[in-house]
């Protein structure tokens, strides 16, 4: 059986923040303090304004995410119960926000330095417990980062 076609046997707890655009989720990964929560907050805020969906992006989970097997080579992402509907906003603390879960994982976003981003990158995938998920690298504090993330998620959502 190929790595991309096997099904994960159990739930995975991962460090990251996840947002949804309709029924497609993006998992934002990076070290503590890298800007995952800030990028998610900006995606939530600008998603509806940019016309991605009527409601824009929605938080799934901040800081920790649970990945569980879904149907047909899909991982579902959700929040651990204690973190559902909570988002860390640096300088303000933990705030309550609308959230959704579980949602099919369609994109992995890795936080990197601006110098590490290719101008014209080739499509990439990351293996998460035997399932290939499209991957992009973004610099989280660029002004265009939330729109780039939403464009990438919308492009793989179908």
């Amino acid at each position: 059986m190929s790595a991309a076609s096997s099904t994960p046997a159990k739930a995975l707890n991962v460090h990251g923040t996840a947002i949804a655009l309709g029924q497609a989720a993006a998992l934002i990964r990076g070290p503590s303090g890298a800007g995952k929560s800030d990028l998610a907050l900006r995606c939530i805020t600008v998603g509806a304004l940019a016309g991605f969906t009527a409601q824009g992006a929605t938080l799934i989970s901040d800081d920790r995410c649970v990945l569980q097997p879904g149907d047909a080579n899909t991982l579902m992402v959700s929040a651990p119960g204690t973190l559902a509907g909570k988002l860390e906003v640096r300088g303000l603390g933990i705030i309550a926000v609308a959230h959704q879960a579980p949602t099919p994982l369609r994109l992995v976003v890795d936080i990197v330095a601006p110098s590490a981003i290719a101008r014209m990158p080739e499509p990439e995938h990351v293996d998460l417990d035997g399932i290939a998920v499209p991957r992009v690298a973004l610099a989280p504090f660029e002004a265009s980062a939330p729109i780039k993330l939403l464009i990438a998620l919308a492009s793989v959502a179908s």
Side-chain angles (χ1 to χ4, degrees):
M1 182 177 291
S2 73
S5 66
S6 64
T7 301
K10 60 182 172 37
L12 298 173
N13 290 300
V14 297
H15 177 76
T17 295
I19 62 165
L21 194 57
Q23 287 301 307
L27 173 64
I28 306 166
R29 305 187 304 181
S32 293
K36 298 178 299 295
S37 300
D38 187 89
L39 180 55
L41 176 64
R42 289 182 292 132
C43 285
I44 292 165
T45 304
V46 304
L49 296 174
F52 283 97
T53 65
Q55 74 277 6
T58 306
L59 179 72
I60 296 173
S61 188
D62 186 29
D63 192 47
R64 294 275 170 210
C65 298
V66 177
L67 301 179
Q68 295 180 297
D71 298 331
N73 293 321
T74 300
L75 289 171
M76 303 297 286
V77 60
S78 61
T82 57
L83 297 180
K86 297 176 183 174
L87 178 68
E88 179 185 349
V89 179
R90 193 171 296 261
L92 297 180
I94 306 294
I95 64 167
V97 296
H99 69 285
Q100 77 179 49
T103 305
L105 180 61
R106 300 289 185 227
L107 181 69
V108 170
V109 178
D110 283 328
I111 300 290
V112 299
S115 61
I117 298 173
R119 184 171 180 185
M120 301 292 285
E122 293 294 323
E124 291 184 39
H125 288 79
V126 63
D127 181 278
L128 293 176
D129 205 25
I131 295 179
V133 180
R135 176 203 174 266
V136 296
L138 292 177
F141 298 114
E142 289 182 343
S144 60
I147 298 299
K148 289 176 183 178
L149 191 158
L150 295 171
I151 289 169
L153 183 54
S155 74
V156 298
S158 52

